[in-house]
Amino acid sequence: MKKEKFNVVGMTCSACSAAVEKAVGHMDGVSSVNVNLLANHMTVEFDDTVVEASSIISAVTDAGYSASLAGAESQVANADKNHVQDEIDEMKQRTIVSMVFMILLMYVAMGHMVGLPVPSFLLGVENATTMALTQFLLTLPVVYINRKYYQTGFKTLWRRSPNMDSLIAIGSGAAIVYGVFAMFRIGWGLGHRDLDLVMRYSHDLYFESAAMILALITLGKFLEARSKGRTSDAIAKLIDLAPKVATVIRDGQEVEVPVLNLVEGDIIVIKPGQSIPVDGVIVEGNSAVDESALTGESIPVAKGVGDQVISATINKAGAFRFRATRIGDDTTLAQIIRLVEEASSSKAPIAKLADKISGIFVPAVITISIAAFIVWLLLGYPFEFALTIGVAVLVISCPCALGLATPVAIMVGTGQGALHGILIKSAEALETSHAVDTVVLDKTGTITEGKPQVTDIVPGSNLSPTELLTLGASLEKPSEHPLAEAIVTKGQEEQIPLESVEDFLAVPGKGVQGTINNQVYLAGNLSFMRDNEIDLGEFEAKADRLAEQGKTPMYFASQGQILGIIAVADVVKPTSKQAIQDLTKLGIDVVMLTGDNKRTAEAIRRELGIKTVIAEVLPEDKEREIRNLQGQGQIVAMVGDGVNDAPALARADVGIAIGAGTDVAIESADIVLMKDDLKDVTTAIKLSKATLRNIKQNLFWAFFYNTLGIPLAAGLLYPFFGWRLNPMYAAAAMSLSSIFVVSNALRLRRFDPNK
C-alpha cells in the first residue's frame, strides 16, 4: 500500500469534501481517503499496482474539482502557508469589488426611497428601462468576479453531487434570470403603454438581491479565510522556527550554506542566540538550549559533548559544534509538522457523522426550495413571491457552518497541542481521549526516571558519607553493572577523586571485590556478605527498611566488618505524583503496570497514592492486561516509553508515548509527549474535552440555525405573522453562521491546561 497527499482546489463546504471522498473512495485499489476541507488536502492510501496517482487526480477532476500531488513535507508546509495567504488575498479582492458595485447598485435601486439624490434619467415610469439596464450592468461585475460559484456549482449539480456553490448559483442565478425576464416585461409594457405592468415589474427586478447574496457570501468567505489562516498559526510558527542558513565547517573553514544543502555528518557551528538548523549530537563545547518551542519546557536545558540537540531550538548561552544526524524531512521539526498536518487531515468519528448529513443535506434543500416555490404558486401567490421564497431557502441553507464545525476545531485543537509539546497524531485520538476513564502507566522511564540513582548513603561509625561514597565509587568503577554505574555517577557529581583498584573481581549475581591501598574491600548484596561471613549487625534491619521503600541496598565491607550501605533506586520523576493526583481529580482510575518485583511496585504505589498496581508482568503480557481492562468496559489510555510497551500502546484505546522514548513506542502511539512529564497526559485529556465540547457547540448552532432558518425562509410563519425572509437577509445570516462557528473554534487558542 502507498500513501500519498494531494492538493485539492475548489472545495467550499463539507458537501464538496464528501463528493471528493466519494469519487476517490469508490476507485479500485483505494483503501482509505481523508479530505481536509480547511487545508485543501487529501490523503489517499492505495495499491499502486492497481491504481495510479494520475487516475486519482482524474477522478477528482471529474467530480468538479482540481487536484495535484503534494511535494515533500517541507515544501508542502511552505506551500500551505502560501496557499492560505493566496486564498485570503483573492477573497479580499473579490470582496472589495463585490461590495463597491453592490453599494452602487443599492444606491441606484433604493436611494430615492430614503431621499438620496438619484440622477433624474433613472427616475419615473418613462425611464424604467434605463433603470433596469443600469442595475443589470452594475450586477454583472459582481457576478463575474464571483463566477467560481457558478462554475463549480453547476458542474457539481450536473454530476449529481450538488454542494454549497450549487445553492448559491441556483439562488442568485434565479434572481438574475427573473430580473432579465422583468426587463423584457418592462420593455413590452412601455411599448404597449401598459404603465401598471411597467410599475409592477420595476419593483421586482431582484438584481440587488442577487448582487447582495454574492457580495455577503463573499464577505463571509473572506472573514472565514482569514480565520482559517489563524487556525494554522501553530504550523506556521513551527515552520518559521527553523533557520534558512547554517554555518558549517568545510575544508577547515566556517562557511554559510542553505540548510537544504546540509548532509549527514556535517559539523555545524552554533553561536549564542542562534537557532539550531537540524538534529545532531554535540562534539565540542557546551551551552543551555531553549527547547520550549517544541517541548513546552520553559527552562533551558544544559547541553554538553555527546548530548543531542533538536532542530528549531535556540542556543541561549555558550558556543558549540555538533554533528548533523538528521536532516531535511527526517528532523524532529519536520516530523512534528507532518504529525500535526496528518492529525488535521484525519477525521474524528463525530466529523464523519456531519459529513454524512451534509451529503444528503444539499439535495434535500434543493427539493425543499422547489417544493416551497410550487406550493406558494398553487396557493395563488404571485410568481415573484414564490421565487423569493425558493431563493431564500436555497441561500440560508448553505451548509458552510455545518462543514466547518468539526475540522476547524480539530485544526485549532491539534495546533494548541503542538504548542504545549503534545503531538496528537489523529483526530480520532483527539476525540477518544475525552472519554478515557482508565490510564495505565508503565513504571520504568514513565513514572520513574528510567535509570538507577543513589538515594541513601548510610555509613558505619568509622566512616563519613563522603568517605563511604569515595570507597564505593572507586570499587565500582571497573564494574559494568547498572547499580555500580549509579554509584560512580554520584561520585562524579560530588567531584570525589577516586582511588585506584587492584585485583578487581566481579562475582556474577553477588557483587565485586578489589584491593585499595593494600586492603581488600567487598561490595554486594546480602548473599555476598553472608558468603564472606560478614557480621551485618544493625545494618541488615536498615537494609530491610530501604528495600521496603523500593530501593536496592548495596553493602560495603572489609576485613570481616560492615562499613556501610549505599542504596540505589530508579527514582520517581518530580512531577509524577502531581500528575497522578490531577488524573484522579478528573475521575480517572490510574493503574501502574510494571515488570518490576511486587515489593518495589508496592513502595511506589504507596509513595504516589496509586490504587491499582499490576507487577511482575512480562513484556509480552502487557498487551493482555490492557485487553482485560477493556473487557471490563473501560476506555483505556496506555502511557509508555519502551519497545516492550509498543504492543500495549497499539492495543489501548489511546496510546500515549513519552517523547524521549523509543521510535517504536512513538510510532505505535496515538499521542506523543515531547517532554518526560506525566502532567502532559492530563493536559492532553483536558484539551480533548475542550475540543470535543467546542465541536458539539459548533454542531448544535449549525443545526439549530438551519432548523430555524429553513422554515422561516420557506414562509411557514407568513400566514400567521406575515414573516418572510428576503434573500439578502438570508445571505447575511448564512455568512454570520459560518463566522460564528469559526470564531467559536478559535476560542480554543485560549486553552489553559491549568484551569
Side-chain angles (χ1 to χ4, degrees), residues 59-94:
V60 175
T61 304
D62 290 342
Y65 307 91
S66 301
S68 61
L69 264 176
E73 285 297 329
S74 56
Q75 294 170 340
V76 169
N78 286 305
D80 289 346
K81 193 175 172 185
N82 293 334
H83 174 78
V84 170
Q85 190 56 50
D86 289 346
E87 182 185 1
I88 292 171
D89 291 342
E90 184 203 1
M91 293 309 301
K92 184 177 180 181
Q93 181 188 24
R94 284 170 59 182

Short mmCIF file of all heavy atoms in Angstrom, two decimals, residues 59-94:
data_model
loop_
_atom_site.label_atom_id
_atom_site.label_comp_id
_atom_site.label_asym_id
_atom_site.label_seq_id
_atom_site.Cartn_x
_atom_site.Cartn_y
_atom_site.Cartn_z
N ALA A 59 -10.08 11.42 -11.20
CA ALA A 59 -11.36 11.21 -10.52
C ALA A 59 -11.81 12.48 -9.80
O ALA A 59 -13.01 12.81 -9.82
CB ALA A 59 -11.22 10.06 -9.52
N VAL A 60 -10.86 13.20 -9.20
CA VAL A 60 -11.19 14.46 -8.52
C VAL A 60 -11.63 15.50 -9.55
O VAL A 60 -12.60 16.23 -9.33
CB VAL A 60 -9.98 14.97 -7.71
CG1 VAL A 60 -10.28 16.34 -7.10
CG2 VAL A 60 -9.60 13.99 -6.61
N THR A 61 -10.93 15.55 -10.68
CA THR A 61 -11.28 16.50 -11.75
C THR A 61 -12.68 16.21 -12.29
O THR A 61 -13.48 17.12 -12.51
CB THR A 61 -10.25 16.42 -12.89
OG1 THR A 61 -8.93 16.64 -12.35
CG2 THR A 61 -10.53 17.46 -13.95
N ASP A 62 -12.99 14.93 -12.49
CA ASP A 62 -14.31 14.54 -12.99
C ASP A 62 -15.42 14.92 -12.01
O ASP A 62 -16.56 15.14 -12.40
CB ASP A 62 -14.37 13.04 -13.26
CG ASP A 62 -13.51 12.64 -14.46
OD1 ASP A 62 -13.18 13.53 -15.26
OD2 ASP A 62 -13.16 11.45 -14.57
N ALA A 63 -15.06 14.98 -10.71
CA ALA A 63 -16.05 15.34 -9.69
C ALA A 63 -16.29 16.85 -9.64
O ALA A 63 -17.16 17.31 -8.89
CB ALA A 63 -15.59 14.84 -8.32
N GLY A 64 -15.50 17.60 -10.40
CA GLY A 64 -15.73 19.05 -10.46
C GLY A 64 -14.70 19.88 -9.73
O GLY A 64 -14.89 21.08 -9.51
N TYR A 65 -13.56 19.27 -9.38
CA TYR A 65 -12.54 20.00 -8.62
C TYR A 65 -11.18 19.79 -9.29
O TYR A 65 -11.07 19.07 -10.29
CB TYR A 65 -12.51 19.50 -7.16
CG TYR A 65 -13.88 19.56 -6.51
CD1 TYR A 65 -14.74 18.46 -6.57
CD2 TYR A 65 -14.33 20.71 -5.89
CE1 TYR A 65 -16.00 18.51 -6.01
CE2 TYR A 65 -15.59 20.78 -5.32
CZ TYR A 65 -16.42 19.67 -5.39
OH TYR A 65 -17.67 19.73 -4.83
N SER A 66 -10.16 20.42 -8.77
CA SER A 66 -8.80 20.26 -9.31
C SER A 66 -7.92 19.62 -8.25
O SER A 66 -8.08 19.89 -7.06
CB SER A 66 -8.22 21.63 -9.71
OG SER A 66 -9.03 22.25 -10.67
N ALA A 67 -6.98 18.78 -8.68
CA ALA A 67 -6.08 18.10 -7.74
C ALA A 67 -4.69 18.01 -8.31
O ALA A 67 -4.50 18.00 -9.53
CB ALA A 67 -6.62 16.71 -7.41
N SER A 68 -3.71 17.92 -7.42
CA SER A 68 -2.31 17.72 -7.82
C SER A 68 -1.58 17.05 -6.68
O SER A 68 -1.99 17.15 -5.52
CB SER A 68 -1.63 19.06 -8.17
OG SER A 68 -1.63 19.91 -7.03
N LEU A 69 -0.50 16.35 -7.02
CA LEU A 69 0.30 15.69 -5.99
C LEU A 69 1.01 16.72 -5.15
O LEU A 69 1.59 17.67 -5.68
CB LEU A 69 1.33 14.76 -6.63
CG LEU A 69 0.96 13.28 -6.77
CD1 LEU A 69 2.07 12.56 -7.52
CD2 LEU A 69 0.75 12.65 -5.41
N ALA A 70 0.98 16.54 -3.82
CA ALA A 70 1.76 17.41 -2.94
C ALA A 70 3.21 16.95 -2.99
O ALA A 70 3.50 15.78 -3.28
CB ALA A 70 1.22 17.33 -1.51
N GLY A 71 4.13 17.86 -2.67
CA GLY A 71 5.56 17.54 -2.71
C GLY A 71 6.07 17.02 -1.40
O GLY A 71 5.34 16.46 -0.59
N ALA A 72 7.36 17.24 -1.17
CA ALA A 72 7.98 16.83 0.09
C ALA A 72 7.36 17.61 1.23
O ALA A 72 6.81 18.68 1.04
CB ALA A 72 9.49 17.08 0.04
N GLU A 73 7.49 17.07 2.46
CA GLU A 73 6.81 17.67 3.60
C GLU A 73 7.17 19.14 3.80
O GLU A 73 6.32 19.98 4.03
CB GLU A 73 7.16 16.90 4.89
CG GLU A 73 6.44 15.58 5.00
CD GLU A 73 4.94 15.73 5.07
OE1 GLU A 73 4.45 16.74 5.60
OE2 GLU A 73 4.24 14.84 4.59
N SER A 74 8.47 19.43 3.72
CA SER A 74 8.88 20.81 3.97
C SER A 74 8.32 21.74 2.90
O SER A 74 7.95 22.88 3.17
CB SER A 74 10.42 20.89 4.00
OG SER A 74 10.95 20.38 2.79
N GLN A 75 8.26 21.23 1.64
CA GLN A 75 7.71 22.05 0.56
C GLN A 75 6.21 22.23 0.75
O GLN A 75 5.66 23.29 0.50
CB GLN A 75 8.00 21.37 -0.78
CG GLN A 75 9.49 21.33 -1.12
CD GLN A 75 9.76 20.45 -2.32
OE1 GLN A 75 8.96 19.61 -2.69
NE2 GLN A 75 10.90 20.64 -2.93
N VAL A 76 5.53 21.16 1.19
CA VAL A 76 4.09 21.23 1.42
C VAL A 76 3.78 22.26 2.49
O VAL A 76 2.86 23.06 2.36
CB VAL A 76 3.55 19.84 1.86
CG1 VAL A 76 2.12 19.98 2.36
CG2 VAL A 76 3.61 18.87 0.71
N ALA A 77 4.58 22.23 3.55
CA ALA A 77 4.32 23.17 4.64
C ALA A 77 4.37 24.60 4.15
O ALA A 77 3.50 25.42 4.46
CB ALA A 77 5.34 22.94 5.76
N ASN A 78 5.40 24.90 3.38
CA ASN A 78 5.51 26.27 2.86
C ASN A 78 4.44 26.56 1.82
O ASN A 78 3.93 27.67 1.73
CB ASN A 78 6.91 26.47 2.26
CG ASN A 78 7.97 26.60 3.32
OD1 ASN A 78 7.86 27.44 4.21
ND2 ASN A 78 8.99 25.76 3.27
N ALA A 79 4.09 25.53 1.01
CA ALA A 79 3.04 25.72 0.01
C ALA A 79 1.71 26.01 0.69
O ALA A 79 0.94 26.85 0.25
CB ALA A 79 2.93 24.47 -0.86
N ASP A 80 1.46 25.31 1.80
CA ASP A 80 0.22 25.55 2.54
C ASP A 80 0.16 26.98 3.02
O ASP A 80 -0.87 27.64 2.94
CB ASP A 80 0.16 24.62 3.77
CG ASP A 80 -0.08 23.18 3.37
OD1 ASP A 80 -0.45 22.96 2.21
OD2 ASP A 80 0.10 22.30 4.22
N LYS A 81 1.30 27.44 3.55
CA LYS A 81 1.35 28.80 4.07
C LYS A 81 1.05 29.80 2.96
O LYS A 81 0.26 30.74 3.13
CB LYS A 81 2.77 29.02 4.63
CG LYS A 81 2.92 30.25 5.50
CD LYS A 81 4.33 30.27 6.07
CE LYS A 81 4.61 31.57 6.79
NZ LYS A 81 5.99 31.65 7.23
N ASN A 82 1.64 29.57 1.77
CA ASN A 82 1.40 30.47 0.64
C ASN A 82 -0.04 30.34 0.14
O ASN A 82 -0.66 31.32 -0.24
CB ASN A 82 2.37 30.14 -0.50
CG ASN A 82 3.81 30.46 -0.12
OD1 ASN A 82 4.04 31.31 0.73
ND2 ASN A 82 4.75 29.75 -0.71
N HIS A 83 -0.56 29.10 0.12
CA HIS A 83 -1.91 28.88 -0.37
C HIS A 83 -2.93 29.63 0.48
O HIS A 83 -3.86 30.25 -0.05
CB HIS A 83 -2.23 27.39 -0.37
CG HIS A 83 -3.66 27.10 -0.73
ND1 HIS A 83 -4.12 27.13 -2.03
CD2 HIS A 83 -4.74 26.82 0.05
CE1 HIS A 83 -5.41 26.87 -2.04
NE2 HIS A 83 -5.82 26.67 -0.80
N VAL A 84 -2.76 29.56 1.80
CA VAL A 84 -3.70 30.25 2.70
C VAL A 84 -3.67 31.75 2.43
O VAL A 84 -4.71 32.40 2.32
CB VAL A 84 -3.34 29.95 4.18
CG1 VAL A 84 -4.15 30.85 5.11
CG2 VAL A 84 -3.62 28.49 4.50
N GLN A 85 -2.46 32.31 2.29
CA GLN A 85 -2.35 33.75 2.05
C GLN A 85 -2.91 34.11 0.67
O GLN A 85 -3.57 35.14 0.52
CB GLN A 85 -0.88 34.19 2.16
CG GLN A 85 -0.69 35.69 2.15
CD GLN A 85 -1.47 36.40 3.24
OE1 GLN A 85 -1.43 36.02 4.39
NE2 GLN A 85 -2.22 37.44 2.88
N ASP A 86 -2.67 33.25 -0.32
CA ASP A 86 -3.22 33.50 -1.66
C ASP A 86 -4.75 33.50 -1.62
O ASP A 86 -5.39 34.33 -2.27
CB ASP A 86 -2.73 32.42 -2.64
CG ASP A 86 -1.26 32.58 -2.98
OD1 ASP A 86 -0.70 33.66 -2.67
OD2 ASP A 86 -0.66 31.63 -3.51
N GLU A 87 -5.31 32.56 -0.85
CA GLU A 87 -6.76 32.48 -0.73
C GLU A 87 -7.31 33.75 -0.07
O GLU A 87 -8.32 34.31 -0.52
CB GLU A 87 -7.16 31.26 0.09
CG GLU A 87 -8.67 31.08 0.21
CD GLU A 87 -9.05 29.94 1.11
OE1 GLU A 87 -8.15 29.27 1.68
OE2 GLU A 87 -10.26 29.70 1.29
N ILE A 88 -6.62 34.22 0.97
CA ILE A 88 -7.06 35.43 1.66
C ILE A 88 -6.99 36.63 0.72
O ILE A 88 -7.92 37.44 0.65
CB ILE A 88 -6.20 35.68 2.92
CG1 ILE A 88 -6.48 34.59 3.97
CG2 ILE A 88 -6.49 37.06 3.52
CD1 ILE A 88 -5.53 34.62 5.15
N ASP A 89 -5.89 36.73 -0.03
CA ASP A 89 -5.72 37.86 -0.96
C ASP A 89 -6.79 37.84 -2.05
O ASP A 89 -7.36 38.88 -2.41
CB ASP A 89 -4.33 37.81 -1.61
CG ASP A 89 -3.22 38.10 -0.61
OD1 ASP A 89 -3.53 38.66 0.47
OD2 ASP A 89 -2.05 37.75 -0.89
N GLU A 90 -7.08 36.64 -2.58
CA GLU A 90 -8.09 36.54 -3.63
C GLU A 90 -9.48 36.92 -3.09
O GLU A 90 -10.23 37.67 -3.72
CB GLU A 90 -8.14 35.11 -4.18
CG GLU A 90 -9.11 34.97 -5.35
CD GLU A 90 -9.59 33.53 -5.56
OE1 GLU A 90 -9.19 32.65 -4.79
OE2 GLU A 90 -10.38 33.34 -6.49
N MET A 91 -9.81 36.41 -1.90
CA MET A 91 -11.12 36.70 -1.32
C MET A 91 -11.24 38.18 -0.97
O MET A 91 -12.32 38.77 -1.09
CB MET A 91 -11.35 35.85 -0.06
CG MET A 91 -11.49 34.36 -0.32
SD MET A 91 -12.71 33.93 -1.59
CE MET A 91 -14.19 34.66 -0.92
N LYS A 92 -10.13 38.80 -0.59
CA LYS A 92 -10.15 40.24 -0.28
C LYS A 92 -10.48 41.04 -1.54
O LYS A 92 -11.31 41.97 -1.51
CB LYS A 92 -8.80 40.66 0.29
CG LYS A 92 -8.74 42.12 0.72
CD LYS A 92 -7.38 42.45 1.33
CE LYS A 92 -7.31 43.90 1.77
NZ LYS A 92 -5.99 44.23 2.36
N GLN A 93 -9.80 40.68 -2.65
CA GLN A 93 -10.06 41.37 -3.91
C GLN A 93 -11.51 41.20 -4.35
O GLN A 93 -12.19 42.16 -4.74
CB GLN A 93 -9.11 40.84 -4.99
CG GLN A 93 -9.28 41.54 -6.35
CD GLN A 93 -8.46 40.86 -7.44
OE1 GLN A 93 -8.13 39.69 -7.33
NE2 GLN A 93 -8.15 41.59 -8.49
N ARG A 94 -12.01 39.97 -4.28
CA ARG A 94 -13.39 39.70 -4.66
C ARG A 94 -14.37 40.46 -3.77
O ARG A 94 -15.40 40.97 -4.24
CB ARG A 94 -13.67 38.19 -4.58
CG ARG A 94 -13.06 37.41 -5.74
CD ARG A 94 -13.15 35.92 -5.52
NE ARG A 94 -14.53 35.45 -5.35
CZ ARG A 94 -14.86 34.18 -5.10
NH1 ARG A 94 -13.90 33.27 -5.01
NH2 ARG A 94 -16.11 33.84 -4.97
#
